[in-house]
Amino acid sequence: MKKSRFIVLLVALGCNIPHEDSRLVFTEKQLPTPIQLKGEKLDFGLEFALNPKEILLKDQNLIVAEGKSLQNEKVHLLDLRGQKYRRSVGKDGLGPGEITIGYPLLDSGEPDIFWVYDTQQFKFSAFSIKDTSSLAIRQFKGLDIPLYITSVDWGPNNTLLVNLVDGWVKYFQLNTDGDTIRYFGSWENMLDGRELPQGVKREDLQPNLLASLHQGKIKSNPSKTRFVKAGTHVDFIDIIDIENEEVITVYGPIDELPEFRVSMNQGFQMPAFDLSKLTLKYLDIYAGDKSFFALYSGKSFREISEDSNLNRLFEFDYDGKVLNHYQLDFPLIGFTVDEINRKIYGISTDMDPGIVLFDLN
């Protein structure tokens, strides 16, 4: 497909894109018997309290983004080999090398490098694990596209796979100049076979409402050939073959839309949820070499730290088959996986937030 910024504008404004997505469903009854995992809180000799928001494993270092608002030191580097705190990065500001938010964390595959996408400045910032500065070593800002990026991860050959805030198209592959490499998938397809809340009509819904309804994180596998997106408010997982522009959508274990009504914000439709019934679905994902993991909650945001009905991890292959079902004994909001050593590192949201180790061996 020819690279073009003009194509992005057309589809973002509502051009309907054909789709050939596949749909799979799993239920609680179809899940394997849960494997109980016992977590161990790790001590890195920290002299300050963590409030972790996201976590990334990079070259035997845990990269941990802070959830609380800090002027500086927005991202912490923890050495797994020595199990010690290394340093923190992320100077607050709008100047060169500075950031205002330390997440989401992204991995481009470059040795010793991790990235932060600052959603306030729409700025991508690369940090070096080996460098001693708290500033980013590289930055680029504001891809030349007409609408904001909501979810993103690095793809092959210095490209990005993104969701935009509006438009029927699900996925765009862009280069760092904002040129479109390819686009595929349709949000409209997500309503096939779904029962809408009372009074909501499918033909009245605008694409930005569907994109907002199906928000979630995107993660790429190490080879950048497969991506996974998991819904925060809708229990769906997209398994994305970027080269072939194919998407397998897996629904479960509930397979239903949350209660919502259509509201308007600055002329755009937005879903207004019934907060008394709204539960969080997939909080985080990890895309591995041959399988991927999804962290499932099923609780409301107010209940997320409670020690009852704790999180579960579902492991899938890239055909959408559930391989394993793990029951955790800590409430988590995020995680990463060491596939070689078969270890899971979670960030807890209990009374003493920190890093929790789960051993799969």
Side-chain angles (χ1 to χ4, degrees):
M1 182 178 296
K2 184 179 180 180
K3 300 178 183 179
S4 172
R5 293 185 178 90
F6 184 61
I7 288 177
V8 178
L9 179 59
L10 283 177
V11 294
L13 293 178
C15 181
N16 202 347
I17 303 302
H19 51 75
E20 298 294 337
D21 299 354
S22 300
R23 189 182 197 276
L24 301 175
V25 179
F26 74 95
T27 66
E28 289 282 358
K29 292 182 179 180
Q30 294 170 317
L31 287 169
T33 302
I35 300 170
Q36 304 292 323
L37 293 182
K38 184 174 178 57
E40 173 193 358
K41 276 279 183 74
L42 298 182
D43 180 9
F44 289 90
L46 297 171
E47 297 181 356
F48 55 88
L50 279 177
N51 184 21
K53 175 70 173 180
E54 285 203 7
I55 188 170
L56 174 71
L57 177 65
K58 183 70 179 181
D59 302 330
Q60 286 303 300
N61 292 274
L62 292 178
I63 316 299
V64 181
E66 274 287 347
K68 60 178 177 286
S69 178
L70 295 175
Q71 184 174 359
N72 295 311
E73 300 183 338
K74 300 176 184 296
V75 183
H76 308 300
L77 280 64
L78 308 178
D79 178 12
L80 277 175
R81 292 187 180 92
Q83 201 163 318
K84 62 182 180 181
Y85 167 73
R86 293 187 60 177
R87 61 190 181 90
S88 299
V89 300
K91 183 178 180 181
D92 187 74
L94 306 177
E98 298 174 342
I99 60 175
T100 53
I101 293 180
Y103 54 86
L105 299 169
L106 311 175
D107 187 358
S108 63
E110 303 168 83
D112 304 314
I113 299 293
F114 69 92
W115 289 78
V116 170
Y117 174 51
D118 186 335
T119 54
Q120 286 189 349
Q121 299 188 65
F122 310 106
K123 180 190 291 185
F124 292 83
S125 301
F127 291 88
S128 170
I129 293 174
K130 294 182 176 180
D131 194 87
T132 58
S133 173
S134 64
L135 298 173
I137 62 170
R138 298 199 306 270
Q139 289 181 315
F140 63 94
K141 183 179 180 181
L143 298 179
D144 189 13
I145 55 177
L147 293 168
Y148 298 136
I149 291 171
T150 57
S151 303
V152 58
D153 203 359
W154 282 102
N157 303 318
N158 202 37
T159 63
L160 298 157
L161 186 72
V162 308
N163 292 138
L164 299 182
V165 73
D166 194 16
W168 288 114
V169 176
K170 274 188 182 180
Y171 300 109
F172 293 91
Q173 185 186 6
L174 310 173
N175 63 25
T176 55
D177 292 325
D179 297 320
T180 304
I181 309 301
R182 54 170 58 89
Y183 58 92
F184 55 95
S186 171
W187 290 119
E188 188 178 28
N189 187 37
M190 303 298 286
L191 294 183
D192 291 349
R194 312 307 299 269
E195 182 178 345
L196 293 173
Q198 186 174 1
V200 177
K201 297 181 180 180
R202 176 170 177 162
E203 59 269 21
D204 294 335
L205 298 182
Q206 297 173 0
N208 59 286
L209 183 141
L210 295 180
S212 297
L213 185 64
H214 292 91
Q215 284 186 3
K217 294 182 178 180
I218 294 176
K219 296 287 180 70
S220 61
N221 68 353
S223 63
K224 309 298 182 184
T225 56
R226 295 288 190 277
F227 291 75
V228 182
K229 173 169 180 171
T232 303
H233 297 310
V234 179
D235 58 334
F236 82 97
I237 298 170
D238 271 355
I239 305 169
I240 305 155
D241 180 340
I242 189 171
E243 185 64 31
N244 294 312
E245 303 176 13
E246 295 176 349
V247 180
I248 299 172
T249 302
V250 181
Y251 294 93
I254 298 174
D255 186 27
E256 65 182 18
L257 295 175
E259 289 287 329
F260 71 92
R261 59 180 177 81
V262 179
S263 66
M264 300 300 295
N265 185 359
Q266 298 180 349
F268 290 93
Q269 287 186 352
M270 295 293 291
F273 296 108
D274 183 346
L275 297 180
S276 67
K277 299 178 181 179
L278 183 65
T279 58
L280 297 168
K281 303 306 190 296
Y282 291 104
L283 301 180
D284 204 0
I285 44 177
Y286 173 84
D289 183 26
K290 296 182 179 179
S291 66
F292 66 90
F293 295 79
L295 177 65
Y296 185 78
S297 172
K299 300 196 295 186
S300 71
F301 184 80
R302 287 189 291 266
E303 301 169 325
I304 195 171
S305 298
E306 295 181 0
D307 58 5
S308 60
N309 188 26
L310 291 171
N311 308 68
R312 294 177 288 165
L313 272 176
F314 304 144
E315 182 182 6
F316 299 81
D317 65 20
Y318 283 101
D319 291 323
K321 178 183 178 181
V322 181
L323 302 177
N324 288 298
H325 174 198
Y326 299 102
Q327 176 65 63
L328 309 178
D329 64 350
F330 277 87
L332 302 184
I333 58 169
F335 74 104
T336 188
V337 179
D338 180 346
E339 291 190 276
I340 295 175
N341 297 303
R342 292 185 52 77
K343 297 180 185 297
I344 295 171
Y345 296 95
I347 46 178
S348 71
T349 182
D350 54 6
M351 295 297 292
D352 181 27
I355 310 300
V356 183
L357 167 65
F358 299 91
D359 197 330
L360 294 176
N361 294 302

